[in-house]
Amino acid sequence: MTYADFQAHIAELNDLLNAISILKWDARTMMPSGGAETRGQQLATLSRLAQEHFISDKTARLLDAAEREVAADEPDSYRLRAVQQTRQYYSISRRLPLDLVSDKAALEPVSEGVWAESKRDNDFKRFAPYLQQQLDLAKRQAEAVGYQEHPFDALVFEYEPSVTAAKLKLIFGDLKAGLLPLLQKIVANDRPLERDLWRHEYPLDKQKAFGLEMAQRFGYDLKRGRLDIAPHPFEISFTRQDVRITTRYDLHYFPQALYGTLHETGHALYEQGVDPALTRTALTIDFLGKYPVGGTSYGAHESQSRLWENQIGRSREFWVNHYDRLRHYFPEQVTEVDPEFLYRAVNRVRPSLIRVEADEVTYNLHIMLRVEIEMGLLEGSLQVKDLPEIWNAKMKEYLGVVPKTDSEGVLQDIHWSGGGFGSFPGYTIGNIMSAQFLNAARRDVSGLNDGLERGDYAPLLGWLQQNIYRHGRAFSASELLQRCTGSDLHVAPYLAYLEQKFSDLYRLS
Ligand code: ZN
């Protein structure tokens, strides 16, 4: 047995996981609702086959052989990294009791269904027992995976292996210290926009065409991609050769579809930029989440969606450069406003109830609130039954607004109903990393700022491809940060970016 045999075995696992993913994409975009039950059976069968394939004794024998063969490789070699990561996740997966895995799988669709109804009916009490079951499973998983300090560490490991509860508390402390005073100043200086651009209708086909044109300017390759509609926008890849995005449309408010498209484009650029040599290897698999992905962690992935959506797509230069194209698609709607107005309109800061609609300044406060609650639930200092009250108190403290119903409060996100404890920090880590990466790119590439001034994104994309995208999952998020910036995750560059952008927008002294 050789490394090539190991690789062939992992390639089959990639094929199974990619087939699962395309069935999921279809279910979320194209499938008639009548197909749900049989699709569930198809997914369950394929998932079981993939799991059996991975935790088999054959994997163990192939790993042993591959380890001997790559032992003398350089520490950064893709082969060595592929073997090391497979070994690490193989032992974790074997530690997870089979009844835990099947209990989780069985609870997920039921719990998500109850959550959707509870949210619709504003009935937290109905959802509470299911949330309790998810919490109990999460605690069991944390014990099985193992941790040193906090059960949260074992859960966040699945999404963001480089952070722990202790590290997150420090990061959140720094962020709050910068964000809360900035938000107060902005709120005090807020004044409504003097024109209402959103009273017009923006035909959906033109919204799609404008969004796709911008995505392609950023570098999204439509020969290896496509854009469809989904109620919750997402990006999904089935190898770097087929990377798809979705968005949703509001007839009056075109920024919803545009920024949904640009956000998912950022994710897609990452996936399309993976080195072709990594296709169907262990470095394009999330072994714990059990899906194929080229990006190295939730946070690293989110750093790219946020960078392209916000730091590029919501920049003044973006609207100066592409204002004419917007007018081209919407000559009757976009009148009596200039690029500066658009820039201000898409960056309005307003403390609000709903995370997915939050602006750049308030977004991370929504995340911190959720992560603090998760940590409290896991350590036992918070109880499920008290969550609506705790949620509302934290909303008041951080954002100064209190939801009138639990539907727009504690019930708003799907994550907990699916057992996704530990996934929220990725959003904030992504925001922080995006500023660190962009600063490094500006430092390394002399023509980068000139390019952005002109709407030429090739210099930026080239740097990101070279330093981040091509490596797939070979390096962890903190290794990528070290290689690109010489330091670990830290919030100062991100806070400086927000301070500068919003002090200018809101004319703060
Ligand atoms: Zn995203």
Side-chain angles (χ1 to χ4, degrees), residues 253-281:
Y253 186 65
F254 76 81
Q256 177 172 75
L258 173 66
Y259 286 106
T261 302
L262 298 185
H263 180 97
E264 303 309 332
T265 294
H267 286 301
L269 292 174
Y270 198 162
E271 295 293 316
Q272 289 191 332
V274 172
D275 187 333
L278 297 185
T279 301
R280 296 171 81 229
T281 68

PDB file of all heavy atoms in Angstrom, residues 253-281:
ATOM      1  N   TYR A 253     -36.012  46.758  -2.865  1.00  0.00           N
ATOM      2  CA  TYR A 253     -34.747  47.045  -2.180  1.00  0.00           C
ATOM      3  C   TYR A 253     -33.626  46.229  -2.836  1.00  0.00           C
ATOM      4  O   TYR A 253     -33.302  45.131  -2.404  1.00  0.00           O
ATOM      5  CB  TYR A 253     -34.895  46.700  -0.695  1.00  0.00           C
ATOM      6  CG  TYR A 253     -33.702  47.092   0.149  1.00  0.00           C
ATOM      7  CD1 TYR A 253     -33.347  48.432   0.324  1.00  0.00           C
ATOM      8  CD2 TYR A 253     -32.922  46.112   0.763  1.00  0.00           C
ATOM      9  CE1 TYR A 253     -32.252  48.778   1.089  1.00  0.00           C
ATOM     10  CE2 TYR A 253     -31.826  46.454   1.539  1.00  0.00           C
ATOM     11  CZ  TYR A 253     -31.493  47.789   1.695  1.00  0.00           C
ATOM     12  OH  TYR A 253     -30.399  48.140   2.446  1.00  0.00           O
ATOM     13  N   PHE A 254     -33.024  46.799  -3.919  1.00  0.00           N
ATOM     14  CA  PHE A 254     -32.054  45.998  -4.664  1.00  0.00           C
ATOM     15  C   PHE A 254     -30.790  45.629  -3.874  1.00  0.00           C
ATOM     16  O   PHE A 254     -30.148  44.617  -4.174  1.00  0.00           O
ATOM     17  CB  PHE A 254     -31.689  46.670  -6.005  1.00  0.00           C
ATOM     18  CG  PHE A 254     -30.755  47.836  -5.895  1.00  0.00           C
ATOM     19  CD1 PHE A 254     -29.387  47.623  -5.763  1.00  0.00           C
ATOM     20  CD2 PHE A 254     -31.218  49.146  -5.950  1.00  0.00           C
ATOM     21  CE1 PHE A 254     -28.510  48.692  -5.650  1.00  0.00           C
ATOM     22  CE2 PHE A 254     -30.351  50.220  -5.834  1.00  0.00           C
ATOM     23  CZ  PHE A 254     -28.992  49.991  -5.680  1.00  0.00           C
ATOM     24  N   PRO A 255     -30.390  46.415  -2.825  1.00  0.00           N
ATOM     25  CA  PRO A 255     -29.177  46.004  -2.107  1.00  0.00           C
ATOM     26  C   PRO A 255     -29.276  44.601  -1.491  1.00  0.00           C
ATOM     27  O   PRO A 255     -28.268  43.941  -1.316  1.00  0.00           O
ATOM     28  CB  PRO A 255     -29.028  47.072  -1.014  1.00  0.00           C
ATOM     29  CG  PRO A 255     -29.657  48.297  -1.607  1.00  0.00           C
ATOM     30  CD  PRO A 255     -30.840  47.762  -2.380  1.00  0.00           C
ATOM     31  N   GLN A 256     -30.467  44.139  -1.161  1.00  0.00           N
ATOM     32  CA  GLN A 256     -30.560  42.801  -0.571  1.00  0.00           C
ATOM     33  C   GLN A 256     -29.972  41.736  -1.511  1.00  0.00           C
ATOM     34  O   GLN A 256     -29.122  40.946  -1.108  1.00  0.00           O
ATOM     35  CB  GLN A 256     -32.014  42.441  -0.254  1.00  0.00           C
ATOM     36  CG  GLN A 256     -32.102  41.020   0.287  1.00  0.00           C
ATOM     37  CD  GLN A 256     -33.480  40.656   0.797  1.00  0.00           C
ATOM     38  OE1 GLN A 256     -34.402  40.420   0.031  1.00  0.00           O
ATOM     39  NE2 GLN A 256     -33.623  40.624   2.089  1.00  0.00           N
ATOM     40  N   ALA A 257     -30.430  41.720  -2.750  1.00  0.00           N
ATOM     41  CA  ALA A 257     -29.921  40.714  -3.692  1.00  0.00           C
ATOM     42  C   ALA A 257     -28.458  40.992  -4.052  1.00  0.00           C
ATOM     43  O   ALA A 257     -27.638  40.070  -4.132  1.00  0.00           O
ATOM     44  CB  ALA A 257     -30.765  40.714  -4.962  1.00  0.00           C
ATOM     45  N   LEU A 258     -28.134  42.264  -4.268  1.00  0.00           N
ATOM     46  CA  LEU A 258     -26.762  42.601  -4.665  1.00  0.00           C
ATOM     47  C   LEU A 258     -25.754  42.148  -3.602  1.00  0.00           C
ATOM     48  O   LEU A 258     -24.781  41.454  -3.909  1.00  0.00           O
ATOM     49  CB  LEU A 258     -26.631  44.110  -4.897  1.00  0.00           C
ATOM     50  CG  LEU A 258     -25.197  44.578  -5.163  1.00  0.00           C
ATOM     51  CD1 LEU A 258     -24.678  44.019  -6.491  1.00  0.00           C
ATOM     52  CD2 LEU A 258     -25.103  46.104  -5.157  1.00  0.00           C
ATOM     53  N   TYR A 259     -26.003  42.539  -2.346  1.00  0.00           N
ATOM     54  CA  TYR A 259     -25.005  42.209  -1.320  1.00  0.00           C
ATOM     55  C   TYR A 259     -25.056  40.733  -0.925  1.00  0.00           C
ATOM     56  O   TYR A 259     -24.042  40.173  -0.516  1.00  0.00           O
ATOM     57  CB  TYR A 259     -25.116  43.169  -0.131  1.00  0.00           C
ATOM     58  CG  TYR A 259     -24.555  44.527  -0.530  1.00  0.00           C
ATOM     59  CD1 TYR A 259     -25.388  45.611  -0.775  1.00  0.00           C
ATOM     60  CD2 TYR A 259     -23.191  44.668  -0.760  1.00  0.00           C
ATOM     61  CE1 TYR A 259     -24.864  46.827  -1.206  1.00  0.00           C
ATOM     62  CE2 TYR A 259     -22.666  45.880  -1.192  1.00  0.00           C
ATOM     63  CZ  TYR A 259     -23.504  46.953  -1.412  1.00  0.00           C
ATOM     64  OH  TYR A 259     -22.983  48.142  -1.856  1.00  0.00           O
ATOM     65  N   GLY A 260     -26.226  40.102  -1.097  1.00  0.00           N
ATOM     66  CA  GLY A 260     -26.260  38.645  -0.955  1.00  0.00           C
ATOM     67  C   GLY A 260     -25.356  38.001  -2.001  1.00  0.00           C
ATOM     68  O   GLY A 260     -24.544  37.118  -1.705  1.00  0.00           O
ATOM     69  N   THR A 261     -25.470  38.470  -3.235  1.00  0.00           N
ATOM     70  CA  THR A 261     -24.655  37.920  -4.322  1.00  0.00           C
ATOM     71  C   THR A 261     -23.167  38.177  -4.072  1.00  0.00           C
ATOM     72  O   THR A 261     -22.336  37.273  -4.233  1.00  0.00           O
ATOM     73  CB  THR A 261     -25.065  38.556  -5.668  1.00  0.00           C
ATOM     74  OG1 THR A 261     -26.450  38.308  -5.885  1.00  0.00           O
ATOM     75  CG2 THR A 261     -24.254  37.979  -6.822  1.00  0.00           C
ATOM     76  N   LEU A 262     -22.827  39.392  -3.665  1.00  0.00           N
ATOM     77  CA  LEU A 262     -21.398  39.705  -3.473  1.00  0.00           C
ATOM     78  C   LEU A 262     -20.821  38.932  -2.286  1.00  0.00           C
ATOM     79  O   LEU A 262     -19.659  38.509  -2.317  1.00  0.00           O
ATOM     80  CB  LEU A 262     -21.196  41.217  -3.281  1.00  0.00           C
ATOM     81  CG  LEU A 262     -21.619  42.085  -4.472  1.00  0.00           C
ATOM     82  CD1 LEU A 262     -21.248  43.547  -4.213  1.00  0.00           C
ATOM     83  CD2 LEU A 262     -20.979  41.605  -5.780  1.00  0.00           C
ATOM     84  N   HIS A 263     -21.622  38.744  -1.243  1.00  0.00           N
ATOM     85  CA  HIS A 263     -21.166  37.958  -0.094  1.00  0.00           C
ATOM     86  C   HIS A 263     -20.852  36.521  -0.536  1.00  0.00           C
ATOM     87  O   HIS A 263     -19.757  36.012  -0.284  1.00  0.00           O
ATOM     88  CB  HIS A 263     -22.257  37.962   0.992  1.00  0.00           C
ATOM     89  CG  HIS A 263     -21.900  37.175   2.213  1.00  0.00           C
ATOM     90  ND1 HIS A 263     -21.374  37.755   3.340  1.00  0.00           N
ATOM     91  CD2 HIS A 263     -21.980  35.841   2.486  1.00  0.00           C
ATOM     92  CE1 HIS A 263     -21.151  36.815   4.253  1.00  0.00           C
ATOM     93  NE2 HIS A 263     -21.510  35.640   3.757  1.00  0.00           N
ATOM     94  N   GLU A 264     -21.795  35.910  -1.221  1.00  0.00           N
ATOM     95  CA  GLU A 264     -21.581  34.517  -1.635  1.00  0.00           C
ATOM     96  C   GLU A 264     -20.485  34.431  -2.699  1.00  0.00           C
ATOM     97  O   GLU A 264     -19.785  33.421  -2.791  1.00  0.00           O
ATOM     98  CB  GLU A 264     -22.894  33.903  -2.137  1.00  0.00           C
ATOM     99  CG  GLU A 264     -24.054  33.939  -1.130  1.00  0.00           C
ATOM    100  CD  GLU A 264     -23.714  33.393   0.260  1.00  0.00           C
ATOM    101  OE1 GLU A 264     -22.825  32.519   0.353  1.00  0.00           O
ATOM    102  OE2 GLU A 264     -24.336  33.848   1.248  1.00  0.00           O
ATOM    103  N   THR A 265     -20.316  35.496  -3.483  1.00  0.00           N
ATOM    104  CA  THR A 265     -19.208  35.535  -4.439  1.00  0.00           C
ATOM    105  C   THR A 265     -17.870  35.442  -3.710  1.00  0.00           C
ATOM    106  O   THR A 265     -16.959  34.743  -4.160  1.00  0.00           O
ATOM    107  CB  THR A 265     -19.259  36.830  -5.273  1.00  0.00           C
ATOM    108  OG1 THR A 265     -20.435  36.801  -6.081  1.00  0.00           O
ATOM    109  CG2 THR A 265     -18.041  36.966  -6.170  1.00  0.00           C
ATOM    110  N   GLY A 266     -17.764  36.120  -2.572  1.00  0.00           N
ATOM    111  CA  GLY A 266     -16.519  36.034  -1.797  1.00  0.00           C
ATOM    112  C   GLY A 266     -16.220  34.595  -1.399  1.00  0.00           C
ATOM    113  O   GLY A 266     -15.091  34.115  -1.538  1.00  0.00           O
ATOM    114  N   HIS A 267     -17.251  33.890  -0.921  1.00  0.00           N
ATOM    115  CA  HIS A 267     -17.071  32.463  -0.600  1.00  0.00           C
ATOM    116  C   HIS A 267     -16.651  31.686  -1.853  1.00  0.00           C
ATOM    117  O   HIS A 267     -15.776  30.821  -1.812  1.00  0.00           O
ATOM    118  CB  HIS A 267     -18.379  31.871  -0.070  1.00  0.00           C
ATOM    119  CG  HIS A 267     -18.748  32.286   1.334  1.00  0.00           C
ATOM    120  ND1 HIS A 267     -17.928  32.041   2.404  1.00  0.00           N
ATOM    121  CD2 HIS A 267     -19.852  32.897   1.829  1.00  0.00           C
ATOM    122  CE1 HIS A 267     -18.525  32.483   3.526  1.00  0.00           C
ATOM    123  NE2 HIS A 267     -19.686  33.017   3.199  1.00  0.00           N
ATOM    124  N   ALA A 268     -17.311  32.004  -2.971  1.00  0.00           N
ATOM    125  CA  ALA A 268     -17.066  31.251  -4.206  1.00  0.00           C
ATOM    126  C   ALA A 268     -15.651  31.496  -4.756  1.00  0.00           C
ATOM    127  O   ALA A 268     -15.022  30.578  -5.296  1.00  0.00           O
ATOM    128  CB  ALA A 268     -18.111  31.631  -5.263  1.00  0.00           C
ATOM    129  N   LEU A 269     -15.159  32.729  -4.625  1.00  0.00           N
ATOM    130  CA  LEU A 269     -13.803  33.016  -5.107  1.00  0.00           C
ATOM    131  C   LEU A 269     -12.785  32.148  -4.367  1.00  0.00           C
ATOM    132  O   LEU A 269     -11.811  31.660  -4.948  1.00  0.00           O
ATOM    133  CB  LEU A 269     -13.469  34.500  -4.917  1.00  0.00           C
ATOM    134  CG  LEU A 269     -14.267  35.464  -5.791  1.00  0.00           C
ATOM    135  CD1 LEU A 269     -13.963  36.910  -5.400  1.00  0.00           C
ATOM    136  CD2 LEU A 269     -13.952  35.249  -7.274  1.00  0.00           C
ATOM    137  N   TYR A 270     -13.028  31.976  -3.058  1.00  0.00           N
ATOM    138  CA  TYR A 270     -12.160  31.114  -2.252  1.00  0.00           C
ATOM    139  C   TYR A 270     -12.168  29.692  -2.844  1.00  0.00           C
ATOM    140  O   TYR A 270     -11.114  29.105  -3.139  1.00  0.00           O
ATOM    141  CB  TYR A 270     -12.683  31.107  -0.807  1.00  0.00           C
ATOM    142  CG  TYR A 270     -11.725  30.643   0.271  1.00  0.00           C
ATOM    143  CD1 TYR A 270     -11.977  30.957   1.606  1.00  0.00           C
ATOM    144  CD2 TYR A 270     -10.591  29.894  -0.014  1.00  0.00           C
ATOM    145  CE1 TYR A 270     -11.127  30.550   2.626  1.00  0.00           C
ATOM    146  CE2 TYR A 270      -9.736  29.479   1.006  1.00  0.00           C
ATOM    147  CZ  TYR A 270     -10.011  29.809   2.324  1.00  0.00           C
ATOM    148  OH  TYR A 270      -9.172  29.400   3.324  1.00  0.00           O
ATOM    149  N   GLU A 271     -13.354  29.151  -3.048  1.00  0.00           N
ATOM    150  CA  GLU A 271     -13.461  27.759  -3.513  1.00  0.00           C
ATOM    151  C   GLU A 271     -12.924  27.582  -4.937  1.00  0.00           C
ATOM    152  O   GLU A 271     -12.269  26.589  -5.240  1.00  0.00           O
ATOM    153  CB  GLU A 271     -14.921  27.300  -3.444  1.00  0.00           C
ATOM    154  CG  GLU A 271     -15.478  27.242  -2.029  1.00  0.00           C
ATOM    155  CD  GLU A 271     -14.819  26.165  -1.173  1.00  0.00           C
ATOM    156  OE1 GLU A 271     -14.630  25.039  -1.665  1.00  0.00           O
ATOM    157  OE2 GLU A 271     -14.482  26.463  -0.005  1.00  0.00           O
ATOM    158  N   GLN A 272     -13.203  28.567  -5.799  1.00  0.00           N
ATOM    159  CA  GLN A 272     -12.700  28.454  -7.180  1.00  0.00           C
ATOM    160  C   GLN A 272     -11.187  28.620  -7.244  1.00  0.00           C
ATOM    161  O   GLN A 272     -10.563  28.216  -8.222  1.00  0.00           O
ATOM    162  CB  GLN A 272     -13.369  29.505  -8.084  1.00  0.00           C
ATOM    163  CG  GLN A 272     -14.833  29.216  -8.374  1.00  0.00           C
ATOM    164  CD  GLN A 272     -15.403  30.102  -9.477  1.00  0.00           C
ATOM    165  OE1 GLN A 272     -14.936  31.231  -9.691  1.00  0.00           O
ATOM    166  NE2 GLN A 272     -16.423  29.607 -10.159  1.00  0.00           N
ATOM    167  N   GLY A 273     -10.602  29.205  -6.208  1.00  0.00           N
ATOM    168  CA  GLY A 273      -9.168  29.489  -6.225  1.00  0.00           C
ATOM    169  C   GLY A 273      -8.299  28.384  -5.641  1.00  0.00           C
ATOM    170  O   GLY A 273      -7.078  28.514  -5.599  1.00  0.00           O
ATOM    171  N   VAL A 274      -8.917  27.293  -5.182  1.00  0.00           N
ATOM    172  CA  VAL A 274      -8.131  26.191  -4.604  1.00  0.00           C
ATOM    173  C   VAL A 274      -7.241  25.579  -5.685  1.00  0.00           C
ATOM    174  O   VAL A 274      -7.645  25.424  -6.836  1.00  0.00           O
ATOM    175  CB  VAL A 274      -9.078  25.125  -4.000  1.00  0.00           C
ATOM    176  CG1 VAL A 274      -8.308  23.890  -3.566  1.00  0.00           C
ATOM    177  CG2 VAL A 274      -9.865  25.706  -2.830  1.00  0.00           C
ATOM    178  N   ASP A 275      -6.012  25.243  -5.306  1.00  0.00           N
ATOM    179  CA  ASP A 275      -5.062  24.619  -6.223  1.00  0.00           C
ATOM    180  C   ASP A 275      -5.678  23.355  -6.850  1.00  0.00           C
ATOM    181  O   ASP A 275      -6.152  22.484  -6.112  1.00  0.00           O
ATOM    182  CB  ASP A 275      -3.803  24.240  -5.416  1.00  0.00           C
ATOM    183  CG  ASP A 275      -2.675  23.728  -6.286  1.00  0.00           C
ATOM    184  OD1 ASP A 275      -2.940  23.183  -7.384  1.00  0.00           O
ATOM    185  OD2 ASP A 275      -1.508  23.880  -5.863  1.00  0.00           O
ATOM    186  N   PRO A 276      -5.683  23.241  -8.189  1.00  0.00           N
ATOM    187  CA  PRO A 276      -6.269  22.045  -8.816  1.00  0.00           C
ATOM    188  C   PRO A 276      -5.651  20.743  -8.285  1.00  0.00           C
ATOM    189  O   PRO A 276      -6.317  19.709  -8.259  1.00  0.00           O
ATOM    190  CB  PRO A 276      -5.944  22.217 -10.309  1.00  0.00           C
ATOM    191  CG  PRO A 276      -5.697  23.673 -10.487  1.00  0.00           C
ATOM    192  CD  PRO A 276      -5.179  24.205  -9.183  1.00  0.00           C
ATOM    193  N   ALA A 277      -4.399  20.808  -7.839  1.00  0.00           N
ATOM    194  CA  ALA A 277      -3.747  19.599  -7.324  1.00  0.00           C
ATOM    195  C   ALA A 277      -4.432  19.070  -6.063  1.00  0.00           C
ATOM    196  O   ALA A 277      -4.238  17.913  -5.695  1.00  0.00           O
ATOM    197  CB  ALA A 277      -2.272  19.890  -7.019  1.00  0.00           C
ATOM    198  N   LEU A 278      -5.222  19.908  -5.400  1.00  0.00           N
ATOM    199  CA  LEU A 278      -5.887  19.471  -4.163  1.00  0.00           C
ATOM    200  C   LEU A 278      -7.255  18.841  -4.412  1.00  0.00           C
ATOM    201  O   LEU A 278      -7.882  18.325  -3.486  1.00  0.00           O
ATOM    202  CB  LEU A 278      -6.045  20.646  -3.192  1.00  0.00           C
ATOM    203  CG  LEU A 278      -4.751  21.276  -2.688  1.00  0.00           C
ATOM    204  CD1 LEU A 278      -5.039  22.337  -1.639  1.00  0.00           C
ATOM    205  CD2 LEU A 278      -3.824  20.214  -2.110  1.00  0.00           C
ATOM    206  N   THR A 279      -7.726  18.888  -5.661  1.00  0.00           N
ATOM    207  CA  THR A 279      -9.044  18.347  -5.971  1.00  0.00           C
ATOM    208  C   THR A 279      -9.139  16.881  -5.549  1.00  0.00           C
ATOM    209  O   THR A 279      -8.262  16.085  -5.852  1.00  0.00           O
ATOM    210  CB  THR A 279      -9.335  18.493  -7.485  1.00  0.00           C
ATOM    211  OG1 THR A 279      -9.269  19.881  -7.824  1.00  0.00           O
ATOM    212  CG2 THR A 279     -10.731  17.959  -7.830  1.00  0.00           C
ATOM    213  N   ARG A 280     -10.202  16.534  -4.843  1.00  0.00           N
ATOM    214  CA  ARG A 280     -10.501  15.167  -4.359  1.00  0.00           C
ATOM    215  C   ARG A 280      -9.471  14.656  -3.355  1.00  0.00           C
ATOM    216  O   ARG A 280      -9.319  13.460  -3.173  1.00  0.00           O
ATOM    217  CB  ARG A 280     -10.644  14.183  -5.522  1.00  0.00           C
ATOM    218  CG  ARG A 280     -11.825  14.508  -6.445  1.00  0.00           C
ATOM    219  CD  ARG A 280     -11.826  13.667  -7.699  1.00  0.00           C
ATOM    220  NE  ARG A 280     -12.372  12.326  -7.510  1.00  0.00           N
ATOM    221  CZ  ARG A 280     -11.775  11.220  -7.922  1.00  0.00           C
ATOM    222  NH1 ARG A 280     -10.611  11.274  -8.510  1.00  0.00           N
ATOM    223  NH2 ARG A 280     -12.341  10.048  -7.734  1.00  0.00           N
ATOM    224  N   THR A 281      -8.759  15.573  -2.667  1.00  0.00           N
ATOM    225  CA  THR A 281      -7.830  15.150  -1.614  1.00  0.00           C
ATOM    226  C   THR A 281      -8.458  15.390  -0.235  1.00  0.00           C
ATOM    227  O   THR A 281      -9.549  15.945  -0.126  1.00  0.00           O
ATOM    228  CB  THR A 281      -6.505  15.948  -1.660  1.00  0.00           C
ATOM    229  OG1 THR A 281      -6.789  17.307  -1.290  1.00  0.00           O
ATOM    230  CG2 THR A 281      -5.868  15.895  -3.035  1.00  0.00           C
TER     231      THR A 281
END
